DNA sequence: CGACCATTTGATATGGATCAAGCGATGTGG
DNA sequence: CCACATCGCTTGATCCATATCAAATGGTCG
């Protein structure tokens, strides 16, 4: 799993980064729970173009982030050059939660993205006075924990199971009938699932061959036989 | 990774479970932070013999647990019979944190164990009034999240790296010079690292051959060359 | 001492990685 | 508007780390 030549894919993998965000702008759309309301009052919305860095690994974790539109990935680069994606965040998702005061993962925009940014200190101050906010912060961390635990289970499964789980996760999180429009590249998926692009690609074609899915274009996948996927899921 | 024959190891893997806990008893030892104090006032200490179930998967998550003495493992059985260990909990560690109202993992005593049990509702009620308690609950979840993220990174590494990381994690969490007294079996370690017992065993012998460790008895490991392990760790 | 269980060691099989080439879509300059 | 470069993806051939199957060893308890 670990070889010197892992650097190869690394080079092709991260072409044009360090794109800078655009200027901030106001935002008054979204849900209506207390935490959300407060965040909107306290935070600013920043737009990031595709592949822009939102924060770096070991940046100070001064802010909390919420996806307004677009998709974000968090990731970590291992010392041998491989990249592990921590998660994909869709509109409404909060990312940047950390236990310490430094981020352990970096974050980038997968697509052009708008992100609501809130000072962590403002939120914790608020949580000290408002138990509802505190409870919601806790719930966020607990939900994130559950997702991480599911990832752990995923990573001990076979390639087929991982890809099937990924597809099911995606339809659940961005429901649009049986069609999934993937915002991320094969490399992103591979680094999320702990596989190589080749294996992801082959697995998708194999699922297509067994009529479980259709792949009209590489970024679009249609689920044809959900129960076959669920069965694979474990 | 997934085959029908996975059931083989499954059978030998879980011999005598469903051992019942003994009767409760009072407990007034431990640390001195607010959450801890309150837990002691509100909770009871229960002793569990080796391999006893503390709670089952999908039991209602009515309680929070803190290890007083001994070691606990949380785990999940996949539908093909494989077991994934979610974590090992040493004295002082809190387990049973969940986002929903059902446990997603089961918990068992690895060794004879004493566990402090607290009603979750009592804690959250307390957190609503005491911001310090709320903050500590959040910190617990965040710390658990970080651990889970580290596990994710671990699971994409090679067998050598996983075993090395495991050994380093264990000395850090239960520091006793360079000696580690493992409370858990090879099967437990394997299920924690997403490997087979054979691979764990072989990796340990290989580390012994390269003089990184010594294995005087199967449950005792002496670190001889910590930097060699750290280098493997990634 | 003998039975049992955990661990180690050995031989072989295999899933996914790696290396390499081909292909289709998208964009650019002539 | 078309040749051509580029990029992301797929497909093919081979290799290797770890799983699997099997047997030997060792430690523990009656």
């Amino acid at each position: 799993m670990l070889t010197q030549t892992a650097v190869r894919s690394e080079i092709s993998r991260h072409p044009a980064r360090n794109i800078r965000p655009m200027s901030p702008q106001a935002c008054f759309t979204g849900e209506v729970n207390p935490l959300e309301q407060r965040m909107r009052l306290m935070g600013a919305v920043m737009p990031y173009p595709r592949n822009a860095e939102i924060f770096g690994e070991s940046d100070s974790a001064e802010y909390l982030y919420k996806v307004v539109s677009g998709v974000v990935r968090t990731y970590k680069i291992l010392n041998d050059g491989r990249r592990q994606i921590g998660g994909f965040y869709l509109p409404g998702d909060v990312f940047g939660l950390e236990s310490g005061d430094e981020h352990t993962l970096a974050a980038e925009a997968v697509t052009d993205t708008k992100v609501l940014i809130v000072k962590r200190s403002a939120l914790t101050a608020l949580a000290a006075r408002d138990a509802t906010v505190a409870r919601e912060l806790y719930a966020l961390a607990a939900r994130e924990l559950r997702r991480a635990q599911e990832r752990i289970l995923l990573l001990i499964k076979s390639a087929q199971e991982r890809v099937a789980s990924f597809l099911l996760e995606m339809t659940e999180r961005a429901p649009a009938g049986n069609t999934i429009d993937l915002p991320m590249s094969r490399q992103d998926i591979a680094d999320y699932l702990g596989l190589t692009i080749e294996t992801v690609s082959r697995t998708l074609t194999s699922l297509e061959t067994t009529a479980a899915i259709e792949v009209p274009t590489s970024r679009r996948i249609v689920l044809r036989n959900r129960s076959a996927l669920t069965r694979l899921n474990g």
Side-chain angles (χ1 to χ4, degrees), chain A:
Chain A
M1 230 165 183
L2 185 164
T3 64
Q4 281 64 22
T5 52
V7 176
R8 168 194 67 108
S9 39
E10 181 46 26
I11 289 160
S12 65
R13 186 178 286 169
H14 305 296
R17 292 294 150 76
N18 282 321
I19 299 167
R20 292 283 83 212
M22 311 162 192
S23 56
Q25 79 178 48
C27 164
F28 296 100
T29 57
E31 300 143 31
V32 286
N33 62 60
L35 178 57
E36 167 68 19
Q37 281 173 6
R38 304 308 197 114
M39 281 180 73
R40 273 190 283 158
L41 292 176
M42 293 187 299
V45 171
M46 290 278 290
Y48 294 88
R50 201 163 115 73
N51 289 333
E53 173 175 301
I54 299 170
F55 55 79
E57 215 171 303
S58 79
D59 275 8
S60 90
E62 205 177 339
Y63 300 97
L64 212 60
Y65 304 80
K66 177 163 181 159
V67 179
V68 173
S69 68
V71 178
V72 170
R73 64 177 166 251
T74 57
Y75 67 94
K76 183 158 194 149
I77 304 288
L78 304 195
N79 58 2
D80 65 351
R82 277 172 308 168
R83 180 181 67 160
Q84 172 65 27
I85 289 193
F88 296 113
Y89 296 85
L90 307 186
D93 291 341
V94 173
F95 63 100
L97 281 169
E98 302 289 343
S99 63
D101 45 357
E102 273 193 6
H103 288 296
T104 54
L105 298 164
E108 285 175 348
V110 174
T111 63
D112 290 349
T113 297
K114 288 189 172 50
V115 177
L116 174 62
I117 304 183
V118 185
K119 253 210 154 62
R120 170 186 307 278
S121 57
L123 265 186
T124 52
L126 186 58
R129 281 181 287 112
D130 184 340
T132 314
V133 172
R135 190 158 44 245
E136 280 180 50
L137 272 176
Y138 174 79
L140 277 179
R143 230 173 292 140
E144 196 74 355
L145 173 59
R146 177 184 289 242
R147 270 207 207 157
Q149 284 171 339
E150 275 161 16
R151 291 290 299 300
I152 289 173
L153 290 179
L154 189 85
L155 288 176
I156 66 165
K157 299 194 206 163
S158 72
Q160 279 229 337
E161 293 172 301
R162 295 189 212 186
V163 172
S165 301
F166 173 72
L167 294 177
L168 291 170
E169 182 193 344
M170 279 301 145
T171 23
E172 260 177 45
R173 288 176 61 187
N178 282 326
T179 302
I180 311 175
D181 279 297
L182 295 171
M184 71 291 283
S185 70
R186 292 284 184 274
Q187 186 66 63
D188 284 338
I189 299 172
D191 291 347
Y192 181 64
L193 298 179
L195 299 170
T196 58
I197 21 175
E198 292 96 329
T199 299
V200 171
S201 180
R202 272 188 253 272
T203 304
L204 287 173
T205 19
S206 128
L207 287 176
E208 195 171 22
T209 307
T210 62
I213 64 171
E214 269 173 60
V215 189
T217 77
S218 70
R219 291 296 184 105
R220 165 163 294 182
I221 291 176
V222 181
L223 305 189
R224 278 283 161 241
N225 187 346
R226 228 178 250 248
S227 58
L229 293 178
T230 314
R231 219 170 309 124
L232 278 179
N233 193 8

